[in-house]
Amino acid sequence: MDTRTYTVDFDVQHIRKDFPILHQIVHGYPLAYFDNAATTQKPQCVIDTIVNYYTHLNSNIHRGVHYLSEQSTNLYEEARKTVQQFINAQYSQEVIFTSGTTAAINAVAFSFGERFVKEGDEIVISAMEHHANIVPWQMMCERKGARLKVIPIDNKGEILFDEYLKLLTPKVKLVAVTHVSNVLGTINPIEKIIDTAHNHNIPVLIDGAQSVQHIPIDVQALDCDFFVFSGHKIYGPTGIGILYGKEKWLNEMPPYQGGGDMVDCVTFEKTTYNDLPLKFEAGTTNFIGAIGLAEAIRYLTRIGLDKVGKYENQLLAYAKEKLSSFERIQFYGTAPKKGPVISFLIDGIHPYDTGMVLDKLGIAVRTGTHCAQPLMDFFDIDGTVRVSLSFYNTFEEIDRLTQGIKKVIDMFG
Ligand code: PMP
């Protein structure tokens, strides 16, 4: 590896010791895990937190006066505060636990839609959205007789800002865009997107599923109205996610699920609802997931998200340089500001074949449409090979990826 231009100020070997899953042999080779945009691996402290919880503390929250239930409730509400601090929300009740990004977007689409969207209104998304930030809005539009408008992008994978401005009419009730594209890596100019929408009194939802693990988030500085992300993509457990919403919106929005915990008083004639945040947390939530997520956030914060971002950018630059040496590689997503995601195709070789050969070398990449079929249609392709990096990846693993791709080209001619 040529480290002349890559000043590595990051003890990655030390970090890797925290992730037991990384130290295994796959098909006779050490695992090189490059599928971090799909889900991240878990540090030992998160695994220990979950084991310890089930071993010593398991009890349902909010409903008991006994010792275990109180301990559980405290840990759950502390977890909410940990998330609040992590994204700098003004109030802890603005942090709602959901099962993930998808559930959080569906919650807003349903609840915001019920309260604020009527026939003839419009919702604006971008052409690079994950299905999770397309389909819930389509369902809502169908229910309400509203229309979905799409901000176009260019061949580099950047949104066309002038076109965005043209879409901001009085009919628009919400703008929902991804911070970082899970396919292209593009970091969207969300500050500008939010400011401009607010100039037209339009609220904005940011899909942070691919940003929150790489870029420090301050929802108050951004002034976004909603921000959503998933625990499993930020080194926490699966089945837990966050819906951040400004209190003023969440207070006005009706609950989208009914059941225990979200109620104040229930009679057969009429039910009144609980205050935030419980109004949006019906039934037994994934409280252990929330506690695990808080541990993951503490872990990441201890390392330092700034440091993580810098190291990942160096990995990204190195991987791009290495893969660019193959003339037959075509990249998708070449915006100057990118998260650590590289999508590509090797001319004449199906992405599935590339993925299969790399797998046999112990290298895990993702192939397919990455839940972004409209984006694939835009580029007129069936799918890509996606390499998504984390701070536990190494320059040596990227060298192995490069050798693997050489092998793919040799094999398939
Ligand atoms: N949005 C983006 C940008 C994503 O990358 C993903 C996951 N690939 C999602 C939403 C959905 O996340 P989840 O499946 O965790 O709900």
Side-chain angles (χ1 to χ4, degrees):
M1 181 196 123
D2 180 0
T3 49
R4 274 169 303 176
T5 45
Y6 301 98
T7 47
V8 191
D9 174 25
F10 196 74
D11 190 351
V12 66
Q13 292 308 334
H14 184 73
I15 297 276
R16 285 175 69 83
K17 291 193 184 128
D18 296 335
F19 292 85
I21 203 170
L22 298 178
H23 308 285
Q24 62 180 296
I25 301 296
V26 172
H27 301 313
Y29 295 89
L31 169 67
Y33 184 77
F34 291 126
D35 196 17
N36 295 289
T39 200
T40 52
Q41 301 303 349
K42 317 307 168 199
Q44 189 67 53
C45 62
V46 169
I47 299 167
D48 288 347
T49 297
I50 294 167
V51 172
N52 182 55
Y53 180 85
Y54 280 127
T55 311
H56 299 293
L57 287 166
N58 183 45
S59 179
N60 209 334
I61 53 168
H62 290 154
R63 302 186 235 273
V65 290
H66 62 83
Y67 173 79
L68 289 182
S69 179
E70 271 183 20
Q71 296 285 312
S72 273
T73 305
N74 290 344
L75 285 172
Y76 183 67
E77 291 306 331
E78 273 169 28
R80 197 188 304 279
K81 291 206 173 87
T82 303
V83 176
Q84 178 202 352
Q85 281 163 17
F86 183 59
I87 59 171
N88 196 31
Q90 192 174 4
Y91 308 113
S92 66
Q93 66 268 27
E94 293 177 320
V95 173
I96 311 292
F97 286 114
T98 67
S99 65
T101 304
T102 303
I105 297 173
N106 273 280
V108 178
F110 185 85
S111 177
F112 184 91
E114 282 304 292
R115 175 72 179 77
F116 294 108
V117 180
K118 56 183 190 331
E119 200 176 337
D121 284 345
E122 292 174 356
I123 303 295
V124 170
I125 62 170
S126 88
M128 68 177 87
E129 299 306 321
H130 186 281
H131 295 163
N133 202 28
I134 301 173
V135 185
W137 305 115
Q138 281 177 326
M139 291 163 69
M140 183 253 261
C141 285
E142 209 166 299
R143 256 193 338 268
K144 291 289 176 176
R147 288 208 305 174
L148 196 63
K149 291 289 177 110
V150 182
I151 315 165
I153 58 172
D154 61 19
N155 281 333
K156 281 198 256 171
E158 293 187 290
I159 65 160
L160 298 174
F161 207 81
D162 287 346
E163 297 301 316
Y164 168 57
L165 295 182
K166 284 186 208 156
L167 292 177
L168 296 179
T169 68
K171 287 184 182 166
V172 178
K173 287 294 171 296
L174 189 92
V175 171
V177 288
T178 193
H179 191 177
V180 173
S181 161
N182 65 313
V183 180
L184 310 170
T186 312
I187 302 177
N188 280 317
I190 54 167
E191 296 82 356
K192 240 168 74 179
I193 290 174
I194 295 165
D195 274 1
T196 324
H198 283 178
N199 289 341
H200 293 75
N201 289 323
I202 302 166
V204 181
L205 177 143
I206 300 296
D207 175 351
Q210 297 294 347
S211 67
V212 75
Q213 63 282 57
H214 306 297
I215 302 169
I217 299 297
D218 181 334
V219 290
Q220 288 187 76
L222 285 171
D223 200 24
C224 54
D225 300 272
F226 302 98
F227 188 95
V228 297
F229 65 96
S230 296
H232 70 99
K233 292 184 198 281
I234 183 171
Y235 309 99
T238 191
I240 189 75
I242 298 299
L243 161 58
Y244 158 81
K246 279 185 187 164
E247 193 184 36
K248 69 166 183 181
W249 293 115
L250 295 179
N251 269 337
E252 292 227 21
M253 286 158 51
Y256 67 105
Q257 286 183 326
D261 256 19
M262 55 74 73
V263 288
D264 173 31
C265 175
V266 181
T267 67
F268 287 121
E269 288 70 39
K270 186 173 168 56
T271 289
T272 53
Y273 304 129
N274 214 331
D275 292 331
L276 292 176
L278 299 188
K279 179 171 104 175
F280 290 108
E281 293 181 0
T284 298
T285 57
N286 182 4
F287 47 86
I288 179 59
I291 294 163
L293 171 58
E295 184 59 32
I297 288 174
R298 279 192 292 274
Y299 173 79
L300 199 54
T301 309
R302 274 198 302 277
I303 299 175
L305 210 40
D306 282 330
K307 251 176 140 176
V308 160
K310 273 191 197 137
Y311 176 70
E312 288 172 342
N313 282 342
Q314 292 186 11
L315 284 177
L316 175 68
Y318 186 69
K320 260 198 316 209
E321 184 194 308
K322 286 282 166 181
L323 298 185
S324 299
S325 66
F326 296 103
E327 274 177 16
R328 285 177 61 182
I329 282 193
Q330 160 93 38
F331 293 100
Y332 295 88
T334 49
K337 287 182 100 185
K338 267 177 63 117
V341 174
I342 300 181
S343 267
F344 64 91
L345 284 175
I346 309 172
D347 183 27
I349 303 176
H350 197 279
Y352 182 77
D353 291 332
T354 306
M356 285 292 283
V357 174
L358 291 176
D359 175 56
K360 293 287 173 284
L361 299 169
I363 300 168
V365 297
R366 188 149 291 250
T367 61
T369 62
H370 318 294
C371 291
Q373 282 175 17
L375 186 59
M376 299 297 126
D377 291 345
F378 172 78
F379 284 111
D380 200 17
I381 53 178
D382 294 332
T384 72
V385 181
R386 183 182 71 184
V387 171
S388 52
L389 304 163
S390 158
F391 60 86
Y392 46 58
N393 289 127
T394 67
F395 291 91
E396 289 73 19
E397 285 179 326
I398 292 169
D399 288 340
R400 278 181 55 205
L401 173 71
T402 313
Q403 285 151 17
I405 286 177
K406 187 168 177 315
K407 187 157 186 179
V408 173
I409 293 174
D410 289 345
M411 273 178 78
F412 290 93

